[in-house]
Amino acid sequence: MNDPVLTLRWFLNCPEIDNLEFYGDEDCLGNPITGVNVIDNPEGVPWIKKNELVLTTGFIFYKDIALTKKLLKELHDVSCTALCIKIKRFYDTIPQFLIEEAARYRLPLIAVPFYHSYSDIMRVIFRELELRQLSNQAFVINETRKFCQLFTSNGGIGSMLSMLSSYTASIILITDYNDKSPTVIAPNLNIAFLLFDCCIMLILNVSHNTVK
């Protein structure tokens, strides 16, 4: 399964959007990207969502240091993933004062060559987000099918518990009315709990119907 989280590191290494320049701490490379937004209006920050990559030409704060400081703080406050500034439009390079001010808030800056359009960047990111979502859905469906096959082929409670424990990285206990508790020690895995929730509901329903 692909890593479900799209990160700033992926964007910087994306071959379709080349020659990007990154200004920020290396630990910000793991910042997640859940969408893309454009800001060329100083009143547009409230419409930006958490973990969005923000694109701008820089026109809104061109030669206005006070507005620049205000916008960088506001972008930090809404947990913007990074601010991408198209160069060779209003800025030949990202000014040093802008880099220093963004560093105060640990807000990554990315210089984007003028030949990359907003639509190109959005297309690449939204396509990757969709592909990862489809991949994760296919993974859940496939693993659910495996679990159901264990159930229908009488694979045994031990096999079913072992499979569940591999997803939750935990010990699973199921106690019957005699207080007997089969235990499985989980391997060291870190996979989402969605399948676990579905499967536990299946086991509980089966147990309930059996008691009846």
Side-chain angles (χ1 to χ4, degrees):
M1 181 178 68
N2 290 335
D3 184 349
V5 180
L6 194 65
T7 64
L8 200 54
R9 179 180 286 103
W10 173 89
F11 177 64
L12 292 169
N13 292 309
C14 179
E16 294 179 77
I17 310 295
D18 60 355
N19 295 320
L20 301 175
E21 294 183 45
F22 174 75
Y23 301 89
D25 295 336
E26 284 192 12
D27 56 357
C28 292
L29 294 174
N31 287 3
I33 299 174
T34 58
V36 190
N37 214 325
V38 175
I39 181 169
D40 274 320
N41 180 337
E43 303 300 323
V45 175
W47 282 270
I48 294 172
K49 297 179 181 178
K50 181 179 179 180
N51 296 331
E52 284 188 330
L53 193 70
V54 178
L55 313 176
T56 184
T57 61
F59 173 74
I60 54 174
F61 44 70
Y62 184 57
K63 294 183 178 180
D64 190 333
I65 295 179
L67 181 57
T68 298
K69 293 181 177 181
K70 176 177 179 293
L71 287 173
L72 291 177
K73 181 182 184 303
E74 290 177 346
L75 289 172
H76 166 266
D77 291 344
V78 297
S79 298
C80 160
T81 294
L83 177 62
C84 301
I85 302 174
K86 294 191 70 173
I87 56 175
K88 305 299 182 181
R89 182 69 177 90
F90 296 98
Y91 293 111
D92 288 333
T93 59
I94 296 182
Q96 187 60 33
F97 85 87
L98 192 56
I99 295 172
E100 293 175 355
E101 190 65 22
R104 288 183 55 197
Y105 299 106
R106 299 187 72 255
L107 176 65
L109 299 179
I110 299 175
V112 181
F114 69 94
Y115 51 81
H116 290 308
S117 67
Y118 287 163
S119 60
D120 285 341
I121 296 172
M122 289 180 173
R123 174 181 54 79
V124 168
I125 290 178
F126 285 128
R127 182 188 63 198
E128 184 65 21
L129 287 171
E130 183 178 8
L131 286 173
R132 291 183 182 226
Q133 183 180 29
L134 290 173
S135 175
N136 295 334
Q137 289 174 348
F139 172 80
V140 171
I141 291 172
N142 184 57
E143 297 307 300
T144 302
R145 183 181 297 114
K146 289 180 183 179
F147 184 85
C148 291
Q149 286 174 348
L150 282 176
F151 176 74
T152 57
S153 63
N154 296 319
I157 190 67
S159 297
M160 297 167 72
L161 290 176
S162 179
M163 185 176 180
L164 289 176
S165 68
S166 70
Y167 294 119
T168 62
S170 62
I171 298 173
I172 296 179
L173 301 175
I174 295 184
T175 304
D176 62 18
Y177 61 92
N178 290 322
D179 201 26
K180 296 179 181 179
S181 303
T183 304
V184 176
I185 300 177
N188 186 20
L189 297 176
N190 184 20
I191 303 178
F193 285 82
L194 176 60
L195 182 62
F196 169 73
D197 292 335
C198 296
C199 294
I200 284 296
M201 290 182 66
L202 175 62
I203 290 176
L204 291 177
N205 286 335
V206 170
S207 299
H208 179 69
N209 291 333
T210 301
V211 172
K212 284 183 175 182

